[in-house]
Amino acid sequence: MNRFRPGIAPTLVVLALLPLFVSLGLWQLSRGEEKRVMLAHYAERRTAPAISAERLPATADPAYRRVQLRGTFDPEHSLLLDNSTREGRVGVELIQPFHDQVSGLWLMVNRGWLPWPDRRTPPVFDTPAQPLNLDAWVYVSPGATFQLHPDAQGDAWPKLVTAVDLSKVWPILGHDGFVHELRLEPGPAAYRVDWPVVAMGPEKHLGYAVQWFAMATALLGLYLYLGWSHAKGDKNNKNKENTHGNGHESNQHV
């Protein structure tokens, strides 16, 4: 039988890369399952009846819950969430403090996306002054921190931000507000509100997992092929040497 002889260098490469490829594939499968559960959770919450704002602080898991609001916006302290695009167009999301008159609770409401084609001029938006009845849903941030652009420091408003952590925003405004962002549903005061629930769907994670597992399989197959090829080559060389040696001995006898 041919001995399996892949060589030291290919063995080291396989030992380094094969576990990595397999672990990346498993991680993609795990992320895909997380996204699937998240989307199912979102769909269930979005079809459930809306709750009042006064129930939010006591709600253990507020993510994606629909909420009914009644109150007014604070037009003096707007946040412009940067790095947001729609169909290739650059823009920002307009986030404003909202005082719910029924519960007395302060909330940060995302009114949606609006275009900002020219960075030399501020984005154009208006804020209704009258009390409004609004429908919104709770968006739980994945844990980004509050970051101001360098030119947004100081007392000037609106402030351009790259991420929002409301536990750091409310002390700046002097309010003890709700710690999660609310996103408007289509209706009064809403701009473009077609947010994706997840940036990458479960099917993409599955596709990436298949790619990693395919790379692992190809690597292992190549490793086996090289090992048996080297063994076969060594055997052929040995047979040639034996044949040459036997032939040389025969010539000496003659």
Side-chain angles (χ1 to χ4, degrees), residues 152-242:
Q153 302 287 348
D155 298 329
W157 293 85
K159 293 187 180 298
L160 189 64
V161 300
T162 56
V164 178
D165 181 352
L166 295 184
S167 64
K168 298 179 180 179
V169 177
W170 288 123
I172 297 176
L173 299 179
H175 299 307
D176 183 18
F178 186 59
V179 295
H180 297 299
E181 172 189 326
L182 274 75
R183 292 182 167 182
L184 280 187
E185 296 181 354
Y191 286 99
R192 184 168 176 175
V193 291
D194 55 342
W195 295 283
V197 181
V198 293
M200 183 185 300
E203 66 284 350
K204 287 191 176 181
H205 286 286
L206 178 60
Y208 287 136
V210 170
Q211 291 180 12
W212 286 119
F213 290 142
M215 292 175 64
T217 302
L219 178 65
L220 182 59
L222 180 61
Y223 178 68
L224 295 175
Y225 171 78
L226 290 175
W228 292 119
S229 295
H230 288 169
K232 185 177 179 180
D234 291 344
K235 182 179 179 181
N236 291 336
N237 291 334
K238 185 175 181 180
N239 290 337
K240 289 180 180 180
E241 290 177 359
N242 292 337

Side-chain angles (χ1 to χ4, degrees), residues 78-85 91-95 110 112-114 116 119 123 139 144-147 149 159-165 181 183 195:
S78 301
L79 299 175
L80 302 175
L81 184 60
D82 203 4
N83 300 326
S84 182
T85 61
V92 291
E93 295 176 23
L94 174 61
I95 306 175
N110 191 325
W113 181 89
L114 52 95
W116 191 13
R119 291 292 174 124
Y139 170 72
T145 58
F146 177 61
Q147 300 173 346
H149 278 238
K159 293 187 180 298
L160 189 64
V161 300
T162 56
V164 178
D165 181 352
E181 172 189 326
R183 292 182 167 182
W195 295 283

Side-chain angles (χ1 to χ4, degrees), residues 19-211:
L20 176 63
F21 291 167
V22 173
S23 63
L24 288 172
L26 293 175
W27 179 78
Q28 288 290 350
L29 289 179
S30 175
R31 288 293 293 158
E33 178 62 17
E34 290 178 6
K35 297 290 182 66
R36 186 194 65 78
V37 172
M38 184 184 301
L39 290 173
H41 191 46
Y42 171 81
E44 177 185 357
R45 290 286 176 86
R46 296 289 280 122
T47 57
I51 64 174
S52 62
E54 60 186 349
R55 293 177 54 188
L56 279 178
T59 302
D61 181 17
Y64 311 126
R65 288 194 181 275
R66 300 180 62 242
V67 185
Q68 291 180 333
L69 305 175
R70 169 69 181 177
T72 56
F73 284 102
D74 174 6
E76 303 299 325
H77 301 99
S78 301
L79 299 175
L80 302 175
L81 184 60
D82 203 4
N83 300 326
S84 182
T85 61
R86 294 292 187 278
E87 299 166 352
R89 295 188 298 160
V90 296
V92 291
E93 295 176 23
L94 174 61
I95 306 175
Q96 291 181 306
F98 183 89
H99 187 235
D100 185 73
Q101 296 176 350
V102 177
S103 63
L105 186 64
W106 278 95
L107 309 112
M108 198 66 73
V109 176
N110 191 325
R111 295 177 55 192
W113 181 89
L114 52 95
W116 191 13
D118 187 356
R119 291 292 174 124
R120 295 171 297 181
T121 60
V124 178
F125 62 89
D126 57 14
T127 303
Q130 72 277 13
L132 299 171
N133 293 314
L134 302 176
D135 293 319
W137 56 277
V138 180
Y139 170 72
V140 177
S141 170
T145 58
F146 177 61
Q147 300 173 346
L148 291 175
H149 278 238
D151 57 353
Q153 302 287 348
D155 298 329
W157 293 85
K159 293 187 180 298
L160 189 64
V161 300
T162 56
V164 178
D165 181 352
L166 295 184
S167 64
K168 298 179 180 179
V169 177
W170 288 123
I172 297 176
L173 299 179
H175 299 307
D176 183 18
F178 186 59
V179 295
H180 297 299
E181 172 189 326
L182 274 75
R183 292 182 167 182
L184 280 187
E185 296 181 354
Y191 286 99
R192 184 168 176 175
V193 291
D194 55 342
W195 295 283
V197 181
V198 293
M200 183 185 300
E203 66 284 350
K204 287 191 176 181
H205 286 286
L206 178 60
Y208 287 136
V210 170
Q211 291 180 12

